[in-house]
Amino acid sequence: MFKQPQLESVKAWLAHPAHAAMPLHARIQRAIRRLILDGALGPGKPLPASRALAKSLGVSRDTIEAGYAQLHAEGFIDRRVGSGSFVAQMAEFTPGRGLSQRNARNQAPNLSKRGNAMFRSGGVRELLAPRPFAHGMPETRSFPLPLWERLQRQVLKETGTQALLHGDPQGAEPLRRAIADYVNLERGGRATADRVLILTSSQQALTLCANLLLDPGDRIFIEDPAYYGARKAFDAADLECVPVRVDRQGIVVERVTAESRKVKAVYLTPSHQFPTGATLALDRRLALIEWAARHQTWIIEDDYDSEFHYAGKPTACVQGLDPHDRTIYIGTFTKSLFPGLRIGYVVLPLQLVKPMSVARTLFDGHSAPMAQLTLARFMEGGHFGTHVRAMRGIYAERLDVLATLVRKRLSNFVEARVPVGGLQMPCVLTCDMSERTAIDAARRVGIELLGLSALHVAGNGKAGFLMGFAAYTPTEIEVAIVKLANALRSVTKP
């Protein structure tokens, strides 16, 4: 028979909630296997007779026999007719020599330098169910789902099982063509279908750029403050981020052009700078283009939400102004349509298309053909433009509602910096409350805010927070503002 500690260990396995979905014989088999691997049952040791163990555990003998049969099939035990079951001799393995399961769980992971950098970054986490005022979230409740479903059925009818196979790593040609037409018409770009690479997200595009175009230790200019996802991608690639101050006209180009040391790239969010919302002035765009051509460096242009511009015409993208082909243009449908679509893209200089397409196969092979072909139909039929125009009007109204309510109910705490576009509004704290106190108070009442100070690379930014507005109705915004005002007042009372 098992000794009492061994029997208790098996019983604990049977009773553990994590194993509840597993068949009873499999739980018994796993419990005995664990005893063997940990050395609690050494080579040659006899196992209890199936009838005796069944009685001790309060199960049927057939259940024990099924567990023993699996252990025998896997080579953990030997079964001898007339003698019983014994722990097998394993010449190449000594049970109990390794760490126990508990110690192994508590041990720090043995990661590479780059792996440690990726893990320390914390990743880029998004809320699964957005709550006010989570930033960067579009309105999804108004998306024309019946239309999307109809287009998807058309794709299936015409392509059949072809849409279920592997896709081109560069992306489906109809979607690449539709994206090129859109970027040229709406963003003033210089795109062709053969220069477009379809990816899962702008974050994947940033990771590809960081790892394919720059070596560990290379220097890259980034805006200060900067988009946290870009910083994390560059830090994980072990790049040296050189912060450049942002003012009301975007990144201060004089800092870039005056740099004497070699810098391999500059990262920009020129349409709506993240998080300030500033638009990069035309003369600064042209100066950066000439600087990149002169030094043979790259401009990484992240045009993450340029569709939503509420004051005047948006400036042409940097890529469209660049005759030297030194600009990599990144776009995404996460903000303009819905996050679950998981389709982003880059418009590349021709010499980078093949290397980037090959490199992306090491990440995820290709994007799902079905979603790509459906999106291509959505764009070709003019539905994308219609949806964006409708959302632009809705978002402009919601921004106005948010700005008005912030001035009315939060004027004792913050000053709103109303942007000309985008899906979020920055607010700067004007009272002596710390940013952490404000964010924690908001979270306690179910409100999500992103702090501004951590987005400043140099660490000298003003305290405040971002307030997303696009995904929330005027009524939802008003209710949340009242809750936030009460929460902030509660932590400022003497």
Side-chain angles (χ1 to χ4, degrees):
M1 284 293 291
F2 283 153
K3 294 178 181 178
Q4 192 61 30
Q6 296 163 349
L7 186 61
E8 292 302 323
S9 177
V10 174
K11 287 181 176 179
W13 253 85
L14 297 182
H16 199 290
H19 309 144
M22 200 181 296
L24 189 55
H25 76 273
R27 281 183 269 171
I28 292 169
Q29 177 254 337
R30 298 284 182 92
I32 296 173
R33 186 176 72 182
R34 188 74 262 160
L35 290 172
I36 294 170
L37 291 172
D38 288 346
L41 291 175
K45 293 290 184 181
L47 271 64
S50 57
R51 192 185 305 276
L53 185 55
K55 184 177 180 180
S56 297
L57 297 177
V59 301
S60 73
R61 186 182 178 190
D62 287 346
T63 299
I64 301 298
E65 282 295 335
Y68 277 7
Q70 184 63 31
L71 287 166
H72 180 244
E74 292 178 353
F76 283 97
I77 67 173
D78 295 325
R79 308 199 77 180
R80 305 169 196 166
V81 177
S83 298
S85 301
F86 301 83
V87 178
Q89 300 282 349
M90 290 175 273
E92 303 298 327
F93 172 71
T94 303
R97 282 282 181 88
L99 290 170
S100 72
Q101 193 174 17
R102 181 173 297 176
N103 287 341
R105 277 201 199 102
N106 295 333
Q107 188 183 41
N110 186 21
L111 304 178
S112 67
K113 288 181 180 178
R114 182 164 284 176
N116 272 314
M118 294 171 72
F119 182 54
R120 285 196 307 271
S121 77
V124 179
R125 289 174 288 183
E126 305 289 354
L127 292 173
L128 296 181
R131 54 180 178 265
F133 291 98
H135 71 283
M137 290 298 303
E139 172 60 75
T140 56
R141 291 168 291 189
S142 300
F143 186 77
L145 267 179
L147 169 61
W148 185 268
E149 290 170 349
R150 189 178 83 237
L151 296 175
Q152 187 168 266
R153 286 196 299 271
Q154 289 177 10
V155 168
L156 270 175
K157 185 176 180 180
E158 293 180 20
T159 62
T161 58
Q162 191 69 31
L164 308 181
L165 301 176
H166 286 283
D168 183 344
Q170 189 179 344
E173 197 274 339
L175 179 57
R176 290 190 282 113
R177 187 173 60 246
I179 287 172
D181 291 344
Y182 165 73
V183 170
N184 293 340
L185 180 64
E186 298 294 336
R187 300 297 300 118
R190 297 168 57 250
T192 53
D194 59 343
R195 297 175 63 171
V196 175
L197 170 63
I198 307 298
L199 300 170
T200 57
S201 63
S202 56
Q203 191 65 37
Q204 187 183 35
L206 292 170
T207 300
L208 276 170
C209 289
N211 287 279
L212 195 67
L213 303 180
L214 296 97
D215 291 311
D218 280 350
R219 305 171 78 235
I220 180 171
F221 283 125
I222 64 170
E223 300 162 325
D224 191 19
Y227 169 54
Y228 54 88
R231 278 183 62 190
K232 289 181 177 184
F234 301 151
D235 287 343
D238 200 21
L239 308 183
E240 181 185 345
C241 292
V242 181
V244 181
R245 184 173 62 86
V246 169
D247 62 19
R248 292 181 182 274
Q249 297 186 73
I251 193 169
V252 178
V253 174
E254 289 81 358
R255 169 70 181 87
V256 174
T257 56
E259 179 60 50
S260 58
R261 292 182 294 167
K262 179 66 175 176
V263 180
K264 288 285 191 73
V266 57
Y267 169 74
L268 305 170
T269 51
S271 292
H272 306 131
Q273 199 278 330
F274 188 96
T276 66
T279 298
L280 185 62
L282 177 61
D283 58 342
R284 295 188 182 187
R285 295 177 187 232
L286 298 175
L288 282 171
I289 289 168
E290 291 307 311
W291 169 82
R294 189 165 59 253
H295 295 279
Q296 288 298 283
T297 190
W298 298 108
I299 298 172
I300 301 173
E301 180 180 14
D302 187 352
D303 211 27
Y304 63 101
D305 67 356
S306 62
E307 290 85 3
F308 304 115
H309 200 83
Y310 313 126
K313 284 280 289 181
T315 307
C317 64
V318 175
Q319 191 270 351
L321 298 170
D322 180 5
H324 312 293
D325 239 9
R326 303 301 304 176
T327 302
I328 296 163
Y329 178 89
I330 300 173
T332 179
F333 294 97
T334 296
K335 306 292 189 288
S336 54
L337 293 179
F338 54 94
L341 183 58
R342 307 312 300 151
I343 294 182
Y345 61 92
V346 282
V347 180
L348 296 162
L350 274 175
Q351 70 268 29
L352 291 182
V353 173
K354 184 167 282 188
M356 281 274 193
S357 299
V358 170
R360 79 78 50 96
T361 65
L362 299 175
F363 284 80
D364 60 354
H366 63 91
S367 298
M370 181 77 71
Q372 291 187 69
L373 295 172
T374 304
L375 176 56
R377 291 286 178 93
F378 192 74
M379 298 181 77
E380 290 164 356
H383 309 300
F384 179 68
T386 299
H387 180 70
V388 166
R389 285 190 294 274
M391 291 299 101
R392 192 181 293 142
I394 290 170
Y395 295 167
E397 177 193 1
R398 292 179 181 183
L399 173 58
D400 184 59
V401 168
L402 177 64
T404 300
L405 287 169
V406 167
R407 294 189 187 107
K408 180 180 178 181
R409 295 187 178 274
L410 300 180
S411 58
N412 291 336
F413 308 104
V414 298
E415 177 189 329
R417 303 285 173 84
V418 183
V420 295
L423 309 181
Q424 53 270 327
M425 181 179 77
C427 292
V428 175
L429 282 165
T430 54
C431 59
D432 58 2
M433 181 187 305
S434 74
E435 182 179 284
R436 185 73 265 159
T437 298
I439 291 172
D440 288 345
R443 192 162 290 159
R444 284 194 292 271
V445 294
I447 291 174
E448 194 70 25
L449 302 173
L450 177 69
L452 293 178
S453 61
L455 304 177
H456 288 263
V457 187
N460 56 356
K462 291 183 177 180
F465 44 77
L466 271 185
M467 303 182 76
F469 56 83
Y472 318 108
T473 66
T475 299
E476 290 168 339
I477 291 172
E478 184 169 12
V479 169
I481 285 289
V482 171
K483 290 168 66 176
L484 179 57
N486 291 336
L488 296 181
R489 274 195 294 271
S490 71
V491 294
T492 56
K493 290 179 180 177

